[in-house]
Amino acid sequence: SSARIFGINYWFPHLLKQPASLVKLIVKAQTIDDTANLSKHKVLMWSGTKDHTVSQSVMKSLEYMYQTGLGVNETSVYFNYSSGHAWITDYYGNSCGATASPYINNCDFDLAGESFKMFYGPDLKDRASEMIDENLLAFDQLEFGGGAVASLGNAGYIYVPTACGDGSVACALHVNFHGCNQGAYKLGQTYVQHSGLNRWAETNNIIVVYPQAASALLKENPNGCFDWWGYNDAKYATQEGMQMRVMKKIIDRVSGVSSFSLSFA
């Protein structure tokens, strides 16, 4: 999966540098899987030198946590680009140093492609010149537990490459979480159309699911962020968290763990 992170610049770096004991307690409580499962995972991180929303000290601390606290063996970091706080492309968005809506910046760097090559192998086919519009579909998140109660949108989006449409071809599954102020409630389809992921997905048979968060003033989530600090419940970072349960149901449905059928909006 991939995500753009809005974080807190003060206490977070200090917390991340001492994660092992806390993580072990959560694993022991069996509310997250054993972190040994992460050893073969691949992590790509981007932090621009002009990003003053999430400081580079936070991202460097996160890199430290992945490597030492969670045992991830393969990380790739891009910390030297003069970008603002945004998702990065080589063809669409604001100037590279901007931090402004829609939080997609053109830095002449194909972050979608570099991510997919790292996650799925360097020999991917070249991306399509354009995404196929009719392959981007909205689906009902309510049946999975989405909606206002979980600070999620009523609908999410899924990009189904042409070759994956009838289920006769084995396709990979990628989940992408938008950043704060990037959900459909704010931008419509701007983010899901212009992340660059769909063009790579089309030629490499990768289904991309775009869950959608929503603004919730009463939950102190006015910017429509996914729950990374506990505005829904104290179990937000575990398998018992409200949004975690919704995402697991969506992933199970699309991957065929449960019957493959989505209600399209």
Side-chain angles (χ1 to χ4, degrees):
S1 65
S2 53
R4 188 174 63 84
I5 301 173
F6 274 87
I8 298 175
N9 291 333
Y10 304 106
W11 54 267
F12 201 53
H14 306 290
L15 175 65
L16 289 178
K17 287 187 176 180
Q18 299 182 22
S21 58
L22 175 61
V23 171
K24 287 179 180 177
L25 285 173
I26 300 174
V27 170
K28 188 175 182 180
Q30 297 183 332
T31 56
I32 65 172
D33 287 342
D34 193 332
T35 56
N37 296 329
L38 296 174
S39 63
K40 295 182 180 180
H41 282 215
K42 300 175 182 180
V43 175
L44 183 148
M45 303 176 66
W46 179 284
S47 178
T49 59
K50 292 185 177 181
D51 185 343
H52 304 298
T53 304
V54 178
S55 71
Q56 290 203 324
S57 64
V58 171
M59 297 301 289
K60 290 176 181 178
S61 295
L62 185 59
E63 179 190 14
Y64 178 91
M65 184 187 79
Y66 275 125
Q67 293 175 339
T68 63
L70 299 177
V72 175
N73 294 320
E74 188 172 352
T75 59
S76 181
V77 298
Y78 296 87
F79 290 167
N80 297 321
Y81 283 76
S82 57
S83 69
H85 190 71
W87 179 268
I88 305 302
T89 79
D90 63 350
Y91 75 101
Y92 180 87
N94 300 321
S95 62
C96 191
T99 297
S101 185
Y103 302 99
I104 303 173
N105 288 2
N106 185 348
C107 294
D108 196 29
F109 185 93
D110 182 12
L111 182 60
E114 291 303 310
S115 299
F116 272 13
K117 288 175 184 177
M118 182 179 187
F119 300 152
Y120 302 109
D123 298 325
L124 295 182
K125 296 178 182 178
D126 289 342
R127 60 184 167 178
S129 59
E130 300 288 343
M131 60 170 269
I132 309 299
D133 290 344
E134 55 265 33
N135 290 350
L136 181 63
L137 306 168
F139 68 91
D140 184 4
Q141 286 191 154
L142 292 173
E143 70 167 289
F144 301 99
V149 67
S151 195
L152 295 172
N154 291 346
Y157 290 92
I158 182 169
Y159 187 83
V160 182
T162 302
C164 304
D166 63 3
S168 62
V169 175
C171 296
L173 172 61
H174 186 86
V175 181
N176 178 268
F177 296 93
H178 64 74
C180 304
N181 286 312
Q182 280 189 318
Y185 81 97
K186 184 93 170 183
L187 300 179
Q189 293 188 13
T190 298
Y191 178 78
V192 299
Q193 288 183 342
H194 296 293
S195 69
L197 295 170
N198 301 333
R199 294 167 62 187
W200 284 97
E202 178 63 31
T203 52
N204 291 282
N205 298 343
I206 301 169
I207 295 172
V208 184
V209 174
Y210 297 96
Q212 295 295 304
S215 175
L217 294 176
L218 294 180
K219 292 191 175 189
E220 299 183 350
N221 181 33
N223 296 324
C225 308
F226 284 98
D227 191 359
W228 51 263
W229 71 89
Y231 65 71
N232 267 325
D233 53 26
K235 298 178 180 180
Y236 71 99
T238 75
Q239 294 173 354
E240 299 172 4
M242 189 179 297
Q243 290 186 0
M244 288 289 194
R245 294 197 305 269
V246 173
M247 299 309 142
K248 179 63 163 56
K249 290 176 183 177
I250 293 172
I251 291 169
D252 284 351
R253 180 74 62 85
V254 178
S255 62
V257 173
S258 60
S259 177
F260 183 84
S261 175
L262 290 176
S263 299
F264 295 106

